[in-house]
Amino acid sequence: MKFKTYTLQNYKEIPQISQLAKKDIASIDVVSHVLPFKTNNYVVDELIDWKNYENDPIYKINFPQKDMLIPEHFKEMESVINSNTTKSEIRETANNIRLQLNPHPAGQLEHNVPEINGERLLGIQHKYNETMLFFPTQGQTCHAYCTFCFRWPQFVGMDELKFAMKQGELMVEYLKEHDEVTDVLFTGGDPMTMKTKHLESYINILLDADLPHLRNIRIGTKALTFWPQRYVDDNDTDNLLRLFEKVSKSKKNLAIMAHFNHPRELETDILHTAVNNIRNTGALIRTQSPLLNNINAEPELWSAMWNKQVELGMIPYYMFVARNTGAQHYFSVPLVKAWQIFRKAYSKVGGICRTVRGPSMSADPGKVLVAGVSKVNGTKVINLTFIQGRNSKWVRRPFFAKYDEKATWLNDLVPAFDEKEFFYEDEFKRMYN
Ligand SMILES: *Cc1c(COP(=O)(O)O)cnc(C)c1O
Ligand code: SF4
């Protein structure tokens, strides 16, 4: 299969589009002016069930739906497109709406960008002591775009919001000064959209720098879902697999942090071959996904996913709460319900699948786990705990929020037991003043 992508410009060439109702085509045309839209021939031909597309989870992961914009924004965009306005007016309306969709949640722009010699390193984020994120310039796109993506501003040409960095050398310079970093996580976009020669040059710089504190090289990717051919029969697959072997032989652990949302994505033969090929290089695959209303908000889907992943030799890692950005109103699941889904799914799988943690919110102060609901002295509370924190001292200290069935994010919660604020808040506020 030769890779072919579809966007707003050419998606009507997809043969299956002729089965779509007119209103669904109109929705794609309007919504994709605001949220990124890209799919490809593998997703279209192998993953989507077109006979039942309106309810198909994979369809909804790639194809914009009317309800992904609030009605007011939808109408505004629709009327601008349908009137004879200029391209730049359309763009301006779209950008205005985008800015109302919380384009940079969790303080990514202001709080996580480090400096070296007074210069901001825009392609690096360093939030948790052990793990540095690296955004290689050539990997800032994906094989297809998820409608729920929290990094969506990178894909819509809002350039001032884009992080990326060319120089692997600067990364190494930074790492030399930060021996608390054990993990470098390549992220994007999807770094596996890069040609092997680009990935190789970054990894070689890291290996050649001979940094004893660097233990794990991680690659965050959705290519196993969107383009498993990358690990099977792309032009430079052989070189890619040899590069993976080289990392393993260098005594660094190579971890593929693979993104899956639905058991359907685990069914194709080519995915199975891809997983085997990666595992044969010595790399480990860990899996993560957000919990998404309209896509995978059922415990049975999660237990099926974890079971299948383990059967294929992958290690379940995180269930995330959908972030408070973009089309969050469409995808969000209240925290209490998220916990119920997690618990039900977790209790139905064997211990070997229970390496997974969640539901977890990647919030500004840290990754906050919704541990459950309990009643203390007659008062119902939500139990929370950090699994990662801007201050590592916050990690795994239980804390309690007032019970709230509607809350979908940390900032909807207030402390239980008439406390004025959560234990970390005072220190957190002082970090940025
Ligand atoms: C999740 C995350 C990491 C990685 O955390 P682990 O728990 O080590 O997987 C690193 N940096 C940021 C900003 C993150 O959100
Ligand atoms: S693959 Fe990841 S970065 Fe790319 S669109 Fe999907 S969620 Fe966003």
Side-chain angles (χ1 to χ4, degrees):
M1 187 179 260
K2 205 169 161 316
F3 186 57
K4 180 161 172 54
T5 59
Y6 299 101
T7 64
L8 179 59
Q9 273 66 46
N10 69 343
Y11 82 95
K12 284 171 187 146
E13 295 167 14
I14 299 174
Q16 293 90 333
I17 289 294
S18 62
Q19 302 170 34
L20 262 52
K22 274 214 176 70
K23 66 173 176 36
D24 295 322
I25 292 182
S27 297
I28 294 171
D29 289 342
V30 172
V31 179
S32 67
H33 274 85
V34 179
L35 298 172
F37 167 40
K38 177 160 92 179
T39 188
N40 68 54
N41 51 335
Y42 171 71
V43 176
V44 162
D45 293 334
E46 309 287 333
L47 297 185
I48 293 175
D49 173 11
W50 287 94
K51 283 196 283 306
N52 187 24
Y53 77 91
E54 295 104 321
N55 301 310
D56 188 73
I58 315 292
Y59 175 78
K60 289 187 270 190
I61 287 173
N62 271 186
F63 287 81
Q65 310 290 301
K66 182 168 187 186
D67 295 341
M68 289 176 186
L69 291 182
I70 58 169
E72 181 195 332
H73 287 159
F74 188 92
K75 268 193 221 119
E76 189 184 348
M77 202 63 233
E78 187 179 39
S79 71
V80 180
I81 294 168
N82 292 340
S83 59
N84 280 325
T85 38
T86 59
K87 273 201 173 130
S88 74
E89 274 172 278
I90 291 177
R91 204 175 317 125
E92 200 177 309
T93 305
N95 279 340
N96 260 326
I97 295 175
R98 286 165 179 161
L99 288 172
Q100 294 170 54
L101 302 178
N102 189 20
H104 275 282
Q108 289 182 74
L109 263 196
E110 323 82 79
H111 296 170
N112 304 340
V113 177
E115 291 184 359
I116 198 162
N117 308 326
E119 194 187 334
R120 276 160 64 85
L121 301 175
L122 285 174
I124 289 182
Q125 282 185 41
H126 190 192
K127 179 170 177 179
Y128 307 128
N129 285 342
E130 294 78 18
T131 306
M132 188 202 91
L133 307 188
F134 179 58
F135 295 75
T137 309
Q138 303 89 343
Q140 299 312 305
T141 183
C142 302
H143 292 101
Y145 291 147
C146 308
T147 41
F148 57 81
C149 181
F150 74 94
R151 290 200 172 131
W152 60 273
Q154 296 189 35
F155 310 133
V156 294
M158 296 173 89
D159 283 343
E160 68 275 22
L161 300 177
K162 202 164 173 172
F163 333 89
M165 177 159 94
K166 273 218 177 73
Q167 300 99 319
E169 284 85 3
L170 271 178
M171 161 170 64
V172 166
E173 210 178 309
Y174 183 80
L175 286 170
K176 282 187 175 152
E177 290 181 11
H178 290 270
D179 60 8
E180 75 276 20
V181 176
T182 56
D183 291 39
V184 168
L185 171 53
F186 285 78
T187 184
D190 188 334
M192 295 313 303
T193 58
M194 274 193 282
K195 290 202 172 76
T196 299
K197 66 175 186 203
H198 292 132
L199 182 63
E200 187 167 19
S201 76
Y202 291 119
I203 287 186
N204 280 342
I205 291 172
L206 272 181
L207 296 181
D208 294 345
D210 193 22
L211 304 160
H213 56 283
L214 178 67
R215 297 168 187 273
N216 306 299
I217 296 176
R218 306 197 214 170
I219 303 175
T221 176
K222 203 172 181 179
L224 278 168
T225 308
F226 282 157
W227 191 243
Q229 287 80 352
R230 184 75 189 86
Y231 311 97
V232 179
D233 56 10
D234 255 2
N235 295 334
D236 56 1
T237 297
D238 286 345
N239 291 341
L240 178 70
L241 298 173
R242 242 171 278 140
L243 174 65
F244 284 7
E245 275 167 13
K246 180 174 165 183
V247 179
S248 300
K249 287 204 181 103
S250 79
K251 304 260 167 47
K252 306 282 183 201
N253 174 42
L254 179 63
I256 305 299
M257 312 303 290
H259 180 173
F260 294 102
N261 304 129
H262 193 277
R264 172 106 50 86
E265 299 163 340
L266 298 160
E267 281 171 14
T268 63
D269 290 340
I270 189 138
L271 180 270
H272 299 167
T273 310
V275 169
N276 277 333
N277 288 353
I278 293 171
R279 292 185 63 218
N280 286 337
T281 68
L284 286 175
I285 307 171
R286 287 173 208 275
T287 63
Q288 52 194 18
S289 170
L291 172 64
L292 302 159
N293 189 29
N294 290 303
I295 307 284
N296 63 16
E298 286 166 45
E300 294 73 26
L301 292 175
W302 286 85
S303 47
M305 251 198 305
W306 295 333
N307 276 326
K308 187 71 189 177
Q309 288 164 357
V310 168
E311 180 190 320
L312 295 172
M314 300 187 274
I315 306 163
Y317 190 62
Y318 272 136
M319 175 204 269
F320 291 118
V321 177
R323 294 215 198 201
N324 52 343
T325 178
Q328 195 218 11
H329 61 277
Y330 180 90
F331 292 110
S332 73
V333 176
L335 301 174
V336 171
K337 188 172 172 205
W339 164 67
Q340 286 162 343
I341 290 172
F342 181 87
R343 183 167 171 256
K344 221 173 191 176
Y346 191 80
S347 64
K348 287 211 182 96
V349 294
I352 200 165
C353 298
R354 294 191 191 182
T355 48
V356 68
R357 290 160 301 156
S360 166
M361 291 176 269
S362 297
D364 204 346
K367 279 190 169 66
V368 178
L369 180 85
V370 183
V373 172
S374 43
K375 217 173 201 178
V376 180
N377 260 343
T379 307
K380 235 176 167 185
V381 295
I382 299 177
N383 308 352
L384 304 162
T385 192
F386 281 97
I387 40 184
Q388 284 283 7
R390 282 191 188 271
N391 182 339
S392 60
K393 296 207 173 90
W394 301 343
V395 170
R396 284 289 168 172
R397 263 184 72 173
F399 61 106
F400 305 96
K402 266 201 184 124
Y403 183 76
D404 180 348
E405 254 168 32
K406 292 209 181 91
T408 58
W409 198 252
L410 184 62
N411 54 11
D412 299 330
L413 295 174
V414 295
F417 311 122
D418 298 320
E419 299 274 339
K420 271 220 278 306
E421 43 182 31
F422 293 124
F423 77 90
Y424 60 86
E425 282 187 277
D426 184 48
E427 191 184 349
F428 175 58
K429 274 180 225 148
R430 273 186 283 121
M431 282 176 175
Y432 301 104
N433 281 323

